[in-house]
Amino acid sequence: MNLNLSGHHVDLTPALREYVHEKLKRVERHFDHLISAEIVLTVEKDRQKAEATVHASGADLHAEATETDMYAAIDRLMDKLDRQTRRHKDKVRDHHQEEAHKRMTIQ
């Protein structure tokens, strides 16, 4: 997966880069078909904002989170992306096999 990480009014330290990369692995674990991710970290006065657009096969997922701490904003962002990828995966999954299996066991 291609990861594009940028910062507006914030220096991207190696620790921040590693933290985002580690948290993004959780999203990749649920959905293997992620093509690319664009993550923007922004500082506006006392607000820390993390924003992400993830391109997956069949969907583009977008989420953003604002907190007073950048690491908390990244955590909340990844929670939102994780929820969206699970929801997308459930929609994509073929449920017809389960229905056929239920019918065969009933008869």
Side-chain angles (χ1 to χ4, degrees):
M1 178 181 72
N2 295 333
L3 175 62
N4 184 10
L5 182 62
S6 61
H8 291 193
H9 305 292
V10 65
D11 292 329
L12 293 177
T13 62
L16 266 177
R17 287 181 184 275
E18 183 64 27
Y19 192 75
V20 169
H21 189 67
E22 286 296 318
K23 291 293 181 172
L24 198 59
K25 285 182 182 179
R26 188 174 89 193
V27 175
E28 286 180 291
R29 182 182 64 210
H30 289 296
F31 196 68
D32 297 333
H33 305 292
L34 298 178
I35 298 167
S36 66
E38 299 167 11
I39 299 174
V40 179
L41 305 177
T42 308
V43 175
E44 299 171 354
K45 293 187 180 180
D46 61 342
R47 294 184 347 207
Q48 314 283 326
K49 183 177 178 182
E51 185 176 357
T53 303
V54 176
H55 303 284
S57 59
D60 291 335
L61 309 172
H62 179 77
E64 60 184 56
T66 305
E67 292 287 332
T68 56
D69 179 41
M70 183 60 77
Y71 289 98
I74 293 169
D75 286 341
R76 179 168 289 182
L77 172 74
M78 293 304 165
D79 289 341
K80 289 180 179 182
L81 280 176
D82 188 39
R83 211 174 13 237
Q84 287 183 15
T85 53
R86 280 189 280 141
R87 208 176 292 144
H88 176 67
K89 186 177 177 181
D90 287 342
K91 287 180 183 179
V92 171
R93 187 182 307 144
D94 187 15
H95 296 285
H96 297 290
Q97 290 178 345
E98 293 175 16
E99 292 175 12
H101 187 271
K102 287 180 187 176
R103 282 190 217 132
M104 292 183 71
T105 57
I106 292 172
Q107 296 176 355

